[in-house]
Amino acid sequence: FYDNPQRKMKIIGAVGTNGKTSTCHIIADILNFAGKKAAIIGTSGVEYPGFCGATSHTTPDPHLLYYYLDELYKRGAEYVVMEVSAHAISQKKVAPIKFKTLVYTNCTADHLDYFKNFAKYAETKKSIMKNEFADVLVVNADDATGRSVAREQRCVTYGIKFPADVFAVNIEEKETGLKYVVNLFDKLYEVRTSLLGLYNVYNGLAAATVCFSLGICAEVVGKGLCEAHAVKGRMEKVAYPVGNVFVDYAHTPDGLEKSLLFLRKITKGSLFCLFGCGGNRDKEKRPKMGRVAGGIAGFLGLTSDNPRYEEPQAIIRETEAGLREATRDYICIEKRREAIIYALNMLGDGDTLLVAGKGAEEYQEIMGIKHYFSDEKLIEELGGAYGK
């Protein structure tokens, strides 16, 4: 119907549990810095100069995906950088696409409500990471499933701990950003970026490897990495008069752990965390997230995320079961607005608060209805009224 727009552009796909959105945005930033015309399709929607669109799924259903690809082609896009979810792979949403490059970020437990066990989830991700589906495969060598892919397929690798084609050294994590040296096939470039956390070194390495494989020279890749922008709602600092407040999309045990570990490094005072778990999703990760958060943060707040069709208190109780194994320094407040107000009131100078789970989302889904709610806007509103 759309005359196969996927064949008229270079399509880059990002596969993995965490980091897909940020990696896609960094790839697009580098490509645009290099003078290319790159669009993004993913969790945050469709992004291209003069055009935007909404996506209800990480990877849109085919009727919408090909509409967007056609629109992007008509508007001059040369590259489309898109997130490829495990659901999309399982449901063969992207089966007709021959990717220019597929990049694999990691595989940690998630979506087991759909895939039933981790082995099937990992195998689903691996099933698309094959040379027949992409000209180039880029794989995280520090991830166990990634190394399995690299043993079975012809790949380009990146990492920090294990031997890789592209790697980073001299990593410095600060509150203001990252500094590290990237080695691109023995071509070195010092990166200074406002992006935060070790996980963004990995995202940057993934993006650099992809762009280098597309023929972008090492110097331009390095400069593009320095200019890359943070993704809204991903470890985003929100203005508040007391302490440091961040909102983050972290909604898996691995994602929450990495975010909290970074904040622990830069926090001079106490580290607070407020989070909840989504309803009608993988129940196994709820106690795991409780244990992870309880083992790192000094004080926790359990609240409601997107309960969907589940009872919010039931979700909180299941998360609390893991939390109680790690700490007793927590409070449960079902209403998210009230929980955020409570957490903000605990902050003192030098303290840090992470409000996790929803990131840039501007709704809370309850019984099939999406009610307007923004963590960021609420915090800014409360900050503006502070002391009045």
Side-chain angles (χ1 to χ4, degrees):
F1 184 84
Y2 290 109
D3 194 27
N4 292 292
Q6 78 280 6
R7 298 177 186 170
K8 303 170 186 177
M9 298 173 290
K10 295 174 181 176
I11 312 294
I12 300 158
V15 179
T17 306
N18 299 314
K20 296 190 297 297
T21 301
S22 293
T23 298
C24 284
H25 277 77
I26 299 171
I27 292 170
D29 280 347
I30 296 173
L31 289 173
N32 287 321
F33 180 82
K36 311 298 182 182
K37 297 178 179 179
I40 299 169
I41 299 177
T43 307
S44 301
V46 181
E47 302 176 39
Y48 187 69
F51 180 75
C52 63
T55 53
S56 59
H57 299 84
T58 298
T59 307
D61 286 337
H63 68 286
L64 188 57
L65 172 62
Y66 285 92
Y67 163 74
Y68 281 140
L69 289 174
D70 184 51
E71 283 295 315
L72 292 170
Y73 172 71
K74 290 175 181 176
R75 293 166 188 270
E78 302 170 282
Y79 294 83
V80 175
V81 191
M82 63 179 290
E83 297 181 51
V84 182
S85 69
H87 290 78
I89 299 168
S90 173
Q91 296 165 12
K92 297 182 172 26
K93 290 184 184 182
V94 295
I97 296 177
K98 176 63 182 289
F99 291 89
K100 184 69 178 174
T101 308
L102 276 170
V103 56
Y104 169 88
T105 61
N106 52 51
C107 187
T108 63
D110 199 13
H111 303 303
L112 301 190
D113 54 316
Y114 181 89
F115 292 98
K116 306 307 178 187
N117 59 70
F118 180 77
K120 184 177 179 182
Y121 177 57
E123 281 302 317
T124 299
K125 289 190 180 296
K126 281 184 62 178
S127 69
I128 198 172
M129 296 299 297
K130 296 181 179 178
N131 297 120
E132 63 190 278
F133 300 129
D135 293 343
V136 178
L137 299 178
V138 172
V139 172
N140 180 0
D142 288 354
D143 179 88
T145 305
R147 291 193 296 277
S148 175
V149 172
R151 287 192 295 269
E152 299 169 9
Q153 304 293 323
R154 186 177 65 258
C155 299
V156 183
T157 59
Y158 69 92
I160 298 173
K161 301 174 183 176
F162 284 77
D165 299 310
V166 177
F167 57 92
V169 294
N170 301 336
I171 301 169
E172 296 181 20
E173 296 179 71
K174 296 182 179 179
E175 184 181 341
T176 54
L178 292 164
K179 176 184 174 184
Y180 59 93
V181 175
V182 59
N183 184 313
L184 277 162
F185 296 92
D186 296 327
K187 295 178 175 64
L188 306 180
Y189 196 90
E190 184 177 83
V191 177
R192 294 173 183 265
T193 173
S194 60
L195 300 179
L196 301 172
L198 184 63
Y199 46 86
N200 268 320
V201 177
Y202 279 100
N203 296 336
L205 289 175
T209 310
V210 168
C211 292
F212 193 74
S213 74
L214 293 170
I216 310 298
C217 73
E219 183 177 4
V220 173
V221 170
K223 289 181 178 179
L225 273 176
C226 293
E227 297 295 323
H229 300 91
V231 181
K232 191 167 183 60
R234 265 64 174 182
M235 194 52 73
E236 181 179 7
K237 190 171 184 179
V238 183
Y240 193 75
V242 182
N244 297 298
V245 182
F246 294 85
V247 297
D248 191 53
Y249 189 59
H251 61 284
T252 67
D254 180 68
L256 188 59
E257 180 180 39
K258 287 176 178 175
S259 295
L260 285 171
L261 286 175
F262 162 67
L263 292 177
R264 179 73 277 168
K265 292 178 184 177
I266 66 167
T267 299
K268 297 176 182 177
S270 298
L271 175 59
F272 302 96
C273 177
L274 177 70
F275 76 102
C277 293
N280 301 109
R281 296 293 186 269
D282 182 5
K283 292 186 177 183
E284 289 186 23
K285 71 181 181 183
R286 294 172 186 174
K288 294 177 183 177
M289 290 182 69
R291 281 191 291 272
V292 163
I296 303 171
F299 189 87
L300 279 297
L302 277 184
T303 189
S304 185
D305 189 281
N306 290 316
R308 299 184 177 88
Y309 292 96
E310 282 195 68
E311 171 57 46
Q313 283 292 342
I315 299 172
I316 289 172
R317 284 194 297 271
E318 290 178 5
T319 310
E320 184 184 9
L323 182 56
R324 287 175 63 88
E325 295 177 19
T327 183
R328 297 299 173 98
D329 292 328
Y330 68 90
I331 190 169
C332 300
I333 302 176
E334 178 185 331
K335 301 293 184 182
R336 195 171 181 92
R337 178 185 176 89
E338 294 175 10
I340 289 175
I341 292 172
Y342 183 94
L344 291 173
N345 286 336
M346 293 187 70
L347 285 178
D349 292 336
D351 295 342
T352 298
L353 168 64
L354 174 66
V355 181
K358 292 178 61 60
E361 288 181 354
E362 294 192 340
Y363 64 86
Q364 190 172 30
E365 187 175 348
I366 304 170
M367 296 301 291
I369 299 173
K370 290 186 176 181
H371 304 267
Y372 175 79
F373 191 94
S374 166
D375 289 346
E376 178 189 4
K377 298 288 173 45
L378 175 58
I379 294 164
E380 289 176 342
E381 173 192 325
L382 295 169
Y386 184 84
K388 292 182 180 178

